[in-house]
Amino acid sequence: MKAQCLLILALLCGSAQALPSAYLAQQAVKGDFALVGKNSVAQIQLDEKDHKGLKRAVQSLQQDIQKVSGKSLSVSAKADAKQLLIIGSLGNNALLDQLITAGKLDVSAIQGRWEAYLIQLVEQPFAGVEQALVIAGSDKRGAIFGVYDLAETIGVSPWSWWADVPVKQQSELYIKAGTRLTDAPKVKYRGIFLNDEHPALTNWTTEKFGGYNSQFYQHVFELLLRLKSNFLWPAMWNNAFADDDPQNAILADEMGIVMSNSHHEPMMRADKEWNRYGEGPWEYSTNRDNIYKFWQQGATRHKNLESLFTLGMRGQEDEPMSEGDNIELLQQIVADQRRILRET
């Protein structure tokens, strides 16, 4: 399991060094988009009705541009600048809708796809606007990944916060004329497992944040999104993700991270939650009613949050189940869990 986790993390992470992408102009020429020009900066357009997680990502992008160039881009819901950076998810941004309707933006390559994004430079998109750099996502995470693609392109590594990767200063930032690219994942769920986290990570989070709370997980979630990941099995050595801090699960859903629980923590209930609230033994053959209720509470808590539910049952604290457990009982357990999910 450790080897698998390390391999997954290595595949996700790649190099810690942010490399400039093909659409960042090294020397500005006519027709390039001035994200940060010699005497001007673009304005970010973001619709107020778009997702909270995308708004968070845009705030991070603002900070990244400030770190790189020393200049700040403002955010508006209107198109009232000559150079616009339009960011939105399909169906949630009025200006994107207008561009699509007018035939100035073709989103067929991303529409209806999972977490796809389009980055395109559009000439004279609206009256009074000379150019617009569009970041359009097929859904919330697609737009977020497009935002962080731009952040990495201008020189901010996904590991900037966690590994202190330095940001290369550039006073001007230009996007190449004719830029158009699309991307989408080939694997639907991509993430990591904070496994065997005690004592190293536990001691550090306790010192820096007071525990595995939403202040800590905010940094984990942002790292995953910057790496274009979307999934997390949280720390569980002596912790209960949704119970230690009720904001943990809410923040994960808001930012766009799909949560799940690992091997012996079915139905979005942590093993340590049974220690805290469970009644009787962790033995389904003799304590079905209490365990069933325990799982119902987990399903109810997460029914409006994007989650993947682990089914089945193992012994508490990853021990074998009792001698009395058998295939027929496990079949009943899974059937009951499916019933809970249907009813919830």
Side-chain angles (χ1 to χ4, degrees):
M1 178 63 77
K2 289 181 184 177
Q4 290 172 348
C5 291
L6 288 171
L7 175 60
I8 291 169
L9 186 60
L11 290 171
L12 282 169
C13 299
S15 171
Q17 179 63 47
L19 300 176
S21 176
Y23 63 92
L24 182 69
Q26 302 304 306
Q27 295 291 332
V29 298
K30 185 178 180 180
D32 287 350
F33 176 83
L35 186 65
V36 176
K38 185 173 293 185
N39 300 306
S40 66
V41 294
Q43 182 186 78
I44 299 174
Q45 189 278 330
L46 179 67
D47 200 303
E48 294 175 353
K49 70 180 181 182
D50 224 320
H51 300 281
K52 290 182 180 179
L54 179 56
K55 294 175 183 178
R56 281 180 173 270
V58 169
Q59 289 173 356
S60 294
L61 178 64
Q62 282 181 287
Q63 296 167 7
D64 291 347
I65 294 172
Q66 175 83 36
K67 292 174 186 175
V68 172
S69 68
K71 297 176 182 177
S72 178
L73 274 61
S74 63
V75 177
S76 174
K78 301 176 182 179
D80 51 7
K82 291 185 177 181
Q83 302 283 106
L84 275 184
L85 171 55
I86 302 174
I87 300 173
S89 56
L90 297 184
N92 294 299
N93 186 299
L95 291 191
L96 282 182
D97 292 343
Q98 291 177 37
L99 289 174
I100 295 167
T101 302
K104 294 184 177 182
L105 186 69
D106 180 4
V107 296
S108 58
I110 65 169
Q111 199 157 30
R113 299 181 68 187
W114 175 265
E115 299 177 350
Y117 64 87
L118 163 70
I119 299 177
Q120 181 174 336
L121 191 55
V122 179
E123 298 294 329
Q124 297 180 328
F126 309 105
V129 181
E130 295 176 356
Q131 289 178 308
L133 179 64
V134 174
I135 300 177
S138 62
D139 51 25
K140 173 175 70 175
R141 278 190 295 271
I144 290 171
F145 294 150
V147 167
Y148 284 129
D149 191 279
L150 177 60
E152 188 169 13
T153 292
I154 65 172
V156 179
S157 166
W159 293 94
S160 177
W161 190 87
W162 280 96
D164 298 320
V165 179
V167 174
K168 183 179 179 181
Q169 302 289 309
Q170 295 188 77
S171 60
E172 298 173 37
L173 297 168
Y174 295 91
I175 304 302
K176 289 181 179 179
T179 289
R180 178 182 166 86
L181 65 95
T182 61
D183 197 10
K186 294 179 175 64
V187 177
K188 189 168 186 178
Y189 295 105
R190 313 164 306 281
I192 61 174
F193 178 16
L194 299 185
N195 192 19
D196 290 342
E197 70 277 4
H198 182 80
L201 185 60
T202 297
N203 290 343
W204 183 80
T205 55
T206 300
E207 176 188 344
K208 300 295 183 183
F209 302 100
Y212 288 99
N213 53 34
S214 54
Q215 288 76 37
F216 162 74
Y217 274 112
Q218 177 182 343
H219 294 289
V220 177
F221 299 155
E222 184 174 318
L223 172 65
L224 289 172
L225 294 170
R226 284 181 182 270
L227 293 170
K228 297 176 183 170
S229 306
N230 62 6
F231 183 83
L232 179 67
W233 276 357
M236 43 77 72
W237 183 280
N238 195 35
N239 301 94
F241 175 78
D243 192 57
D244 291 341
D245 181 353
Q247 289 301 310
N248 282 344
I250 294 170
L251 180 65
D253 186 74
E254 177 183 309
M255 292 183 69
I257 299 300
V258 182
M259 294 304 302
S260 187
N261 282 59
S262 51
H263 40 316
H264 71 290
E265 298 189 319
M267 299 297 287
M268 296 303 294
R269 295 306 303 263
D271 173 71
K272 296 303 179 285
E273 287 187 272
W274 181 257
N275 292 346
R276 298 171 188 176
Y277 311 116
E279 298 180 23
W282 182 255
E283 174 58 57
Y284 208 71
S285 61
T286 61
N287 197 26
R288 176 182 179 274
D289 289 349
N290 285 326
I291 297 175
Y292 191 97
K293 187 188 303 181
F294 179 73
W295 287 339
Q296 278 182 318
Q297 293 166 350
T300 300
R301 181 174 62 192
H302 290 269
K303 69 178 182 177
N304 294 319
L305 306 177
E306 200 172 3
S307 311
L308 286 182
F309 287 79
T310 302
L311 304 186
M313 188 174 182
R314 290 170 73 170
Q316 197 175 15
E317 297 184 354
D318 217 12
E319 292 296 318
M321 294 176 73
S322 70
E323 291 295 327
D325 295 323
N326 52 44
I327 292 175
E328 289 76 15
L329 179 61
L330 190 57
Q331 289 173 333
Q332 181 62 54
I333 288 168
V334 173
D336 285 352
Q337 291 169 338
R338 287 177 168 173
R339 182 180 301 111
I340 290 170
L341 293 178
R342 282 196 304 270
E343 294 174 352
T344 308

